[in-house]
Amino acid sequence: MHEEIYIAGLGGQGALSMGQLLALAATSENKEVSYVPFYGPEKRGGFANCGVIISDHPISSPIISEPSVLVVMNNLSLKNYEDSVILGGIIIVNSSMVNLGVKRSDVRVVSIQASEEAEHLGDVRVANSVILGALIELTEVVSVSAVEKSLEEVLPKRNLNMIPINFKALERGAELASNYKKAWSNLS
Amino acid sequence: MKKITARPYSLRDIPFHYCPGCMHGIAHRLVAEVIDELGIHGRTIGISSVGCSVFAKHYFNVDMIQAAHGRAPSIATGVKRVLPDRVLFTYQGDGDLAAIGIGDFIHTAYRGEKITTIFINNTVYGMTGGQMAPTTLIGQVTKTTPFGRSVEINGNPIRVCELIASVEGVAYVERVSLHNPKEIIKAKKAIRKAFEMQLNGIGFSLVEALSACPTNLGLSPLEAVKWMEEKMIPFYPLGVYKSPAGGGLSA
Amino acid sequence: MKGNDAIGEGAILAGCRHFFGYPITPQSEVTHYLAKRLPEVGGLFMQAESELASINLVFGAACAGARVMTASSGPGISLMQEGLSFLAGSELPCVLVNIMRGGPGLGNIGPSQADYFQATKGGGHGDYHTIVLAPNSVQEILDMMKKAFDMSDMYRMPVMVMADGIMGQMMEPVVINEEKSVEIPPRPWATIGRDYHENRNEINSLFVVLEEMEEVNLRLLHKYEEIHAKETLCEEYMLDDAEVALVAFGTVSRICRAVVDKAREQGIRAGLIRPITLWPFPHDVISRIAKSAQCFLAVEMNMGQMFEDVEIGAKGRAPVYHYGRLGGMVPLAKDILEELKKVSKRRGTGR
C-alpha cells in the first residue's frame, strides 16, 4: 500500500486538520507517514493545502508532485491540481464549493455535497469529516476506528461535544463513497 | 605612618589608558569601592560596552564580559536569568546606551531586570574621535556638528534619567556628577544605593554620571570642569529621579 | 511530530533549559512549543523585543555557562549576524536554528534554501565559521539538536541547524530516545563570579594588539581545520556506479532520493550525495565521486549557492550543473528527473 494524498482548499475549510488526522491515524497503526502543509500568510481564507503520504515502505520524498488521491474544496484547487493526478487516481470533489467539472476521463471522480450533508447532520463545520469518511472508504489507508481514536486525542477539550457528530459525518461520507465503489466494481 | 587610602581590591593594578581629565577613572574607582564595601566581589559580573570604556573589562578585578555596541543590558539579562543570585552591572557610555543601545536599555528597564547600569554621559563620542552623541547639547560643536548641534537637523538631546523615571520595574534612578569632590562623594552613595536595590531584588537601577571629555571638547581639564558646571548641569539636573520611597526630583 | 516541535523537544532532550527568541513565520511554532515546554522542565523561555536582543540574551546566558539556543528565519537571522560574529570571536557555545524562508528582503514564508551563503560563508563580519547542520527528516531534527549542542560545547562556537519551511511544518512519526541524564561538559571559562572558579575570567573579542589578534585568528583556524577533518558528515546513496551524481540537502535531498530511484527504474545510473554538515562541506566526497561520475547536478531552492561548493570539490574533474527553484517554490521530482536526463547528455559546466 502506498497512497499519496493531496488535499487542497481555503484556510478555514479544514483541509489541514483533515490531513493531520489522517497522518496521526496512520501513525497509530505503525504505518510510514509524512504530512506537509502549504499555506498562505492569512490565517483564514488564504490557500491551505497539505500532502499526506501513507505507505508500507519508508517514504523517500515527502513532497507530492503526482498524487494518487486529490481532494479539492474550491474551484481554483481543481483547476490547479487536476492534471497532476496519476492515471487511474481518485479526485474527491466537495461539490458544495466546486461548480467546475472534472475534465479528465482517465481518473475516478467522486463528487460529494459535503457542506449540505454536514448541515443536514447539524453542523456545517463537519463537512471535512464527511469528505474524510469518503476518502477512507475509497482508499482504506487507515481504519475508521484509528481516525476516531485520533480525533478524540486532537480535538480541543472545548470541542469534545463535537465528537459524536464528527463520527456521524465520517459514517455518512463512507456511505456516500460506497455507492461509487460499488459502481466502479460493476464497471470492471 | 597610617595608610588612609589604597587601590580597591575590585580594581586591578593596571594603569588606566584614559586621557588626562577624563572621569572614567573616577567612576571605575567608585564602582570598585562599592563592590568591595558590599562584599560582593566574588559574585559580581560586569559588562563593558563599546566606546572608551570598552577597556573596563580589563580594569575591574571581577569576571567581565565585553559586549557588542549597545547590547550590554541584554547580555547582563542573559547572565542574570541563568544565575539569579549573582550581581550584574553594565558600564555604558552615552553613545552605547542612549543611541545604538536604547532599545535594549528600555526593554531591560521595563522588564525590571535586577541589574545595575552605570551610565557615563560626557556629551560626546570619545573613542571614535569626538562626534555627536545623543546627549550632545544644543549648539555644541563636535566633529559631526561642526556648526553646533541644531534641533532642526539633529533633534533634541536625550535626557535618560527623565526618560525612564516613570517606568514600572525601575527601582532607582539618580543623576550625579563627577566634576568635584563633593559630587563625587554623592556619586558613590548613589552607586551604592543602585547596587543595594539589585541586592534587595527591587528592580532595575541606573546611575547616570556626568563626566567630561577634555580631549574632545578641546579644553583643559579645569576648563572642562567649568564647562560642565555652566553648560551641562543646567541641562542635565542632578538628583534622584526615582527611588522606592517615591519618585520625583530631590536634588 | 512536527519538525518545529522536534527542534524544541530535541533541545530539551539535549539538556537545553534556556531559550531567548522572537517570533517569525515559519519559525513561530518553535517559540510556541518551548514557551509551554521549557517551564515544565524547570527551564526558561523568554521572548525578547527583537532578534538583536535575542542573540545577545543568548550571548549572556552562554557567558553564564548555560546550554542556550535561539531560533529564527531569514530577516531575524540577518539581524543576529553581529551577535554571531561576537559569539564566534568570544568562543561561546550556543545553538541557532534557521527555518529558512524566501528572500531577499521580507520575501515570503515559502520554503527556501537561500540562506546557504549566509550560514556557511560567515554571515557576520570577520574571519570565522559556524558549523551548519542540515537535517532532512523530523527524526533527524530531533536527534541532531543533541549533536548540535555537543559540537558547540566541544569546539566552543555557535552551531546552526538549518532547515527550510517544509522541514519545520512537516509531520513524521519519531522515536524519542530519552537518555537518563545529559552530561554537559564543564565550562572553566564561564563568567559566573570569582567565588565559583579559580581564575578571573574575561569573555572578550577585542584584541587591540595586532599580534594577539592574529594569534586568536590562528587558533580559530586550527579549530576550523580540526572540525573539517573530524566532523564532516555526508550521506551517500547509490553512488558506486552512478553516472550522474545529484547533490542536495534538506527537503530537496528527500525529493532527489526519490528521483534517483525513478531514474534507476528507467535505466539511468543516478546517485545522490547529501551533505549533512553544510559547513564543513564534504568537498572530499565530491572529489572522490568526481573520479567515477560523469557529472554532478546540484539541486537547491536557490540560485546556485551550494553549487559553488560542489564546484570546489569537483576541482574541474567533472562538470557541475545546477537546477534550482526560487521564491519559495519547491522543485518537483518529475522536473528534476527531466533535468537529470538533460545533463546526463550534456558536456561542460554551467547552470
Side-chain angles (χ1 to χ4, degrees):
Chain A
M1 188 267 303
H2 180 95
E3 294 286 355
E4 306 202 356
I5 303 159
Y6 201 76
I7 307 172
L10 295 171
Q13 286 184 329
L16 302 189
S17 35
M18 214 193 298
Q20 279 181 27
L21 203 55
L22 258 181
L24 282 173
T27 305
S28 75
E29 292 184 335
N30 289 322
K31 296 195 165 96
E32 298 285 341
V33 191
S34 73
Y35 160 88
V36 179
F38 297 91
Y39 46 80
E42 312 91 335
K43 267 286 187 205
R44 298 277 182 276
F47 75 91
N49 306 342
C50 69
V52 182
I53 302 179
I54 301 174
S55 182
D56 294 330
H57 318 287
I59 296 160
S60 44
S61 169
I63 306 300
I64 299 173
S65 50
E66 292 160 336
S68 56
V69 180
L70 172 70
V71 176
V72 288
M73 324 264 279
N74 64 335
N75 279 329
L76 190 64
S77 295
L78 177 61
K79 251 166 99 178
N80 283 349
Y81 304 113
E82 179 177 350
D83 290 341
S84 66
V85 179
I86 59 166
L87 211 78
I90 300 173
I91 300 182
I92 303 175
V93 180
N94 178 358
S95 51
S96 308
M97 305 300 293
V98 179
N99 53 27
L100 292 176
V102 176
K103 294 192 197 100
R104 283 181 59 176
S105 53
D106 55 356
V107 295
R108 291 171 288 173
V109 181
V110 175
S111 169
I112 289 176
Q113 289 207 306
S115 308
E116 280 82 351
E117 294 289 347
E119 256 169 58
H120 193 71
L121 290 170
D123 195 326
V124 71
R125 285 178 296 171
V126 298
N128 58 345
S129 291
V130 177
I131 301 262
L132 187 60
L135 190 150
I136 295 164
E137 171 70 18
L138 294 167
T139 59
E140 293 167 14
V141 280
V142 290
S143 67
V144 179
S145 65
V147 173
E148 288 179 348
K149 225 186 267 161
S150 302
L151 188 68
E152 280 168 349
E153 270 170 41
V154 295
L155 217 58
K157 282 213 175 72
R158 61 188 150 84
N159 288 342
L160 282 185
N161 59 338
M162 294 286 288
I163 285 180
I165 190 172
N166 269 293
F167 285 5
K168 266 189 222 158
L170 287 167
E171 212 175 293
R172 179 61 186 149
E175 199 179 309
L176 292 165
S178 66
N179 297 333
Y180 283 91
K181 237 175 146 180
K182 270 180 223 147
W184 292 340
S185 59
N186 290 342
L187 277 179
S188 55
Chain B
M1 244 196 350
K2 199 175 140 198
K3 191 172 180 181
I4 55 164
T5 184
R7 181 176 46 79
Y9 180 69
S10 293
L11 266 191
R12 295 170 81 200
D13 191 5
I14 297 169
F16 289 137
H17 72 289
Y18 300 117
C19 304
C22 171
M23 295 170 187
H24 269 310
I26 300 171
H28 281 22
R29 186 185 171 101
L30 296 183
V31 172
E33 283 178 357
V34 167
I35 293 172
D36 283 0
E37 286 167 18
L38 292 171
I40 52 174
H41 164 266
R43 58 185 177 113
T44 296
I45 298 140
I47 325 283
S48 76
S49 58
V50 171
C52 291
S53 62
V54 67
F55 292 105
K57 67 168 172 94
H58 210 45
Y59 299 138
F60 284 104
N61 192 21
V62 297
D63 276 0
M64 291 294 294
I65 300 166
Q66 180 257 312
H69 203 11
R71 313 291 156 232
S74 293
I75 291 177
T77 302
V79 178
K80 187 84 180 188
R81 291 296 184 111
V82 175
L83 304 167
D85 61 337
R86 307 301 146 90
V87 181
L88 270 296
F89 76 91
T90 71
Y91 189 103
Q92 304 173 259
D94 41 44
D96 193 89
L97 182 142
I100 198 165
I102 198 155
D104 295 63
F105 167 68
I106 287 183
H107 281 275
T108 303
Y110 265 93
R111 284 194 306 262
E113 297 292 345
K114 284 140 198 96
I115 67 169
T116 298
T117 289
I118 308 298
F119 166 44
I120 308 296
N121 177 5
N122 64 9
T123 74
V124 74
Y125 280 23
M127 189 168 242
T128 44
Q131 298 86 355
M132 182 187 74
T135 52
T136 293
L137 300 172
I138 298 301
Q140 187 180 336
V141 172
T142 71
K143 289 271 169 59
T144 48
T145 54
F147 311 108
R149 177 175 182 153
S150 91
V151 176
E152 288 72 30
I153 297 173
N154 311 109
N156 284 292
I158 295 178
R159 290 185 177 103
V160 169
C161 287
E162 288 85 336
L163 185 69
I164 66 152
S166 65
V167 172
E168 286 167 64
V170 173
Y172 191 74
V173 179
E174 183 170 352
R175 184 182 286 128
V176 299
S177 178
L178 303 175
H179 73 287
N180 69 33
K182 185 178 145 221
E183 295 302 331
I184 290 170
I185 291 168
K186 274 197 199 163
K188 184 174 166 185
K189 279 185 188 148
I191 292 171
R192 189 183 164 108
K193 228 171 189 171
F195 272 94
E196 282 169 352
M197 294 294 160
Q198 177 178 179
L199 291 169
N200 294 331
I202 299 175
F204 181 76
S205 53
L206 169 80
V207 175
E208 172 176 348
L210 302 186
S211 168
C213 178
T215 304
N216 284 308
L217 288 171
L219 302 170
S220 73
L222 270 180
E223 286 166 344
V225 165
K226 211 168 153 232
W227 182 86
M228 284 177 71
E229 282 171 341
E230 286 171 4
K231 299 276 166 78
M232 220 178 148
I233 295 172
F235 189 82
Y236 294 114
L238 307 182
V240 178
Y241 284 82
K242 185 163 189 189
S243 74
L249 186 69
S250 61
Chain C
M1 185 176 247
K2 201 182 222 186
N4 277 336
D5 295 352
I7 288 166
E9 196 55 38
I12 286 172
L13 289 170
C16 169
R17 292 295 178 269
H18 292 85
F19 179 99
F20 302 93
Y22 190 78
I24 180 170
T25 314
Q27 154 270 24
S28 297
E29 285 103 344
V30 181
T31 59
H32 303 171
Y33 188 86
L34 285 170
K36 251 196 198 158
R37 194 73 179 86
L38 270 171
E40 287 175 6
V41 292
L44 170 78
F45 168 91
M46 188 174 144
Q47 181 170 331
E49 72 270 21
S50 69
E51 288 87 353
L52 222 50
S54 306
I55 196 71
N56 285 287
L57 288 156
V58 165
F59 189 106
C63 289
R67 274 208 157 169
V68 58
M69 71 172 287
T70 185
S72 190
S73 185
I77 298 285
S78 289
L79 273 174
M80 291 182 184
Q81 291 303 327
E82 178 201 43
L84 211 52
S85 169
F86 274 71
L87 285 157
S90 308
E91 296 186 74
L92 289 170
C94 69
V95 172
L96 261 100
V97 176
N98 180 1
I99 307 293
M100 284 178 282
R101 51 188 264 167
L106 202 49
N108 62 28
I109 60 168
S112 167
Q113 297 179 324
D115 299 347
Y116 181 92
F117 279 154
Q118 185 194 47
T120 61
K121 308 294 174 187
H125 60 282
D127 223 355
Y128 78 96
H129 279 291
T130 308
I131 294 175
V132 184
L133 302 173
N136 82 345
S137 71
V138 179
Q139 181 74 55
E140 198 175 41
I141 290 177
L142 193 72
D143 301 336
M144 207 174 254
M145 290 306 291
K146 171 87 166 42
K147 182 155 192 65
F149 279 104
D150 287 347
M151 281 170 117
S152 95
D153 271 346
M154 168 126 75
Y155 296 106
R156 279 184 62 185
M157 63 191 279
V159 173
M160 182 185 278
V161 175
M162 196 157 86
D164 53 75
I166 293 178
M167 297 291 307
Q169 299 294 329
M170 185 161 76
M171 264 186 359
E172 286 181 318
V174 293
V175 180
I176 296 177
N177 300 311
E178 210 151 343
E179 285 177 46
K180 289 228 166 55
S181 66
V182 181
E183 209 166 299
I184 297 174
R187 292 156 147 77
W189 44 264
T191 47
I192 55 173
R194 295 202 55 180
D195 279 353
Y196 305 86
H197 50 77
E198 214 163 296
N199 301 314
R200 174 182 175 274
N201 282 342
E202 206 176 288
I203 288 172
N204 172 49
S205 63
L206 174 74
F207 303 94
V208 284
V209 179
L210 309 187
E211 287 82 357
E212 272 178 33
M213 184 78 244
E214 190 181 40
E215 229 172 85
V216 172
N217 287 144
L218 283 172
R219 193 176 67 238
L220 292 179
L221 174 65
H222 293 146
K223 182 157 89 176
Y224 297 152
E225 283 170 347
E226 187 190 338
I227 295 167
H228 230 292
K230 288 190 188 162
E231 308 291 352
T232 307
L233 286 173
C234 180
E235 186 189 333
E236 301 180 30
Y237 182 60
M238 305 286 246
L239 285 165
D240 288 346
D241 63 340
E243 290 176 340
V244 183
L246 295 173
V247 190
F249 67 97
T251 299
V252 184
S253 70
R254 296 279 295 270
I255 305 171
C256 283
R257 200 183 163 104
V259 170
V260 167
D261 292 341
K262 222 170 231 173
R264 292 218 165 229
E265 278 169 25
Q266 299 179 16
I268 305 165
R269 298 213 303 269
L272 171 66
I273 300 170
R274 168 169 86 97
I276 298 170
T277 50
L278 301 183
W279 192 91
F281 190 82
H283 292 117
D284 292 351
V285 176
I286 305 279
S287 300
R288 174 160 52 77
I289 301 302
K291 290 178 197 156
S292 57
Q294 282 175 14
C295 68
F296 293 95
L297 176 61
V299 187
E300 302 172 79
M301 292 191 277
N302 60 44
M303 291 189 220
Q305 300 192 15
M306 179 192 63
F307 167 79
E308 292 190 4
D309 273 321
V310 180
E311 281 207 311
I312 291 171
K315 294 176 183 155
R317 284 191 195 126
V320 182
Y321 303 103
H322 180 260
Y323 177 71
R325 288 301 301 268
L326 315 171
M329 299 294 290
V330 181
L332 298 179
K334 61 175 174 17
D335 298 332
I336 300 172
L337 188 60
E338 275 312 300
E339 195 65 23
L340 193 154
K341 286 177 185 166
K342 241 195 295 176
V343 302
S344 66
K345 291 178 196 119
R346 234 163 76 181
R347 292 291 172 266
T349 195
R351 300 185 187 201

